[in-house]
Amino acid sequence: MNIKQLEHFLAVAETRSFSRAAERLFITQSALSRSIQALEEDLGALLFDRIGKRIEPTPLGLQVAERAAALVRDAGELRRSVEIFQGGAGGAMRIGLGPGPAAMLTTELLCHMAEHHPRVRVAITRGPTDLQLLQLRAHQLDALVADARNIVPAPDLVAEPIGESRTCFACAAGHPLARLETVSLDQILAYPVASAPLSDEIARLLVALYGPAAIPERMVTLGCEDVASLVAAVARSQAVFLGLSAAAREGIAAGRLVELPVRPVLAASARFAYVTLAGRTEAPVMAVFRRFAAERLRD
């Protein structure tokens, strides 16, 4: 027994005619007869009474028709779900975002998915990369996006470069430093410095450029892994933001924040990776997220 045979059976039951059912199904009458005969043999009972030229379902045939209709309907819905899934319009995505990517992607991604992919179930987890790697390996996440420097190479991980963003200093538009043509680190340190945890590479570059005063443990007074909260606090206070320019991009574009012309120039950037488990089949809808992240995780 298969779904195709049930579809053939229902067509005959509805039309009460092999010829009309064959026309509806776009198959020959002989092929339809063989399909019904095979179904009856499989069930071990007659499904139609053939009374002259009339075709009527047997009492068992009537019961089979009721159950078959539900099965065929469910099979149709299953096919449709698969088509939607393969087209990236449905399904689910479970995403982990490191501090920087979370600030730049979370709100925009939720809005994008609600508008363009409303049938996709989206779950976003924010937190430290080491914890999210554990969740990825436990199959609690489909993928994560984090600073590539925090991803230790491992045979079970696939880390795909997905974007890069400069590191900058920024402050509120009305901040005293915002009026200066150039700014030194000493001038910045007269105010609270707000930053998420910095990679060892950027920490070394800071010290090389600005001296021991730039050691993150000494310099940063407002530390938080939630970069969006840091940026919001900087816009409402005299704190100075040290972090990804892309995280401050919206505030700068809106006129709430100003990127400071610090000298020497801080030529540092964060490189992001899209991390998945090796050998694991990825849901097509995840390609939507990968493209979205790649477009926004760059200056």
Side-chain angles (χ1 to χ4, degrees), residues 171-193:
C171 64
H175 197 286
L177 296 179
R179 298 190 294 268
L180 303 180
E181 293 184 2
T182 61
V183 177
S184 68
L185 183 67
D186 287 341
Q187 290 171 308
I188 288 174
L189 294 181
Y191 302 92
V193 174

Side-chain angles (χ1 to χ4, degrees), residues 85-172:
F85 178 84
Q86 292 177 334
M93 58 169 66
R94 301 170 301 170
I95 300 161
L97 296 176
M104 292 177 278
L105 296 178
T106 303
T107 302
E108 289 192 40
L109 176 63
L110 292 173
C111 292
H112 177 81
M113 298 304 293
E115 180 176 357
H116 299 288
H117 303 277
R119 301 193 63 179
V120 176
R121 297 186 301 278
V122 180
I124 298 175
T125 300
R126 298 159 52 143
T129 301
D130 54 354
L131 175 59
Q132 294 190 339
L133 286 172
L134 290 175
Q135 293 173 315
L136 179 69
R137 288 181 165 115
H139 296 268
Q140 297 170 359
L141 296 176
D142 298 311
L144 65 91
V145 176
D147 190 325
R149 299 176 182 90
N150 294 330
I151 307 299
V152 178
D156 64 333
L157 298 179
V158 177
E160 171 191 341
I162 198 171
E164 189 168 336
S165 178
R166 293 183 301 109
T167 301
C168 74
F169 290 93
C171 64

Side-chain angles (χ1 to χ4, degrees), residues 273-285:
Y274 179 87
V275 186
T276 55
L277 286 179
R280 186 179 182 187
T281 301
E282 187 175 76
V285 72

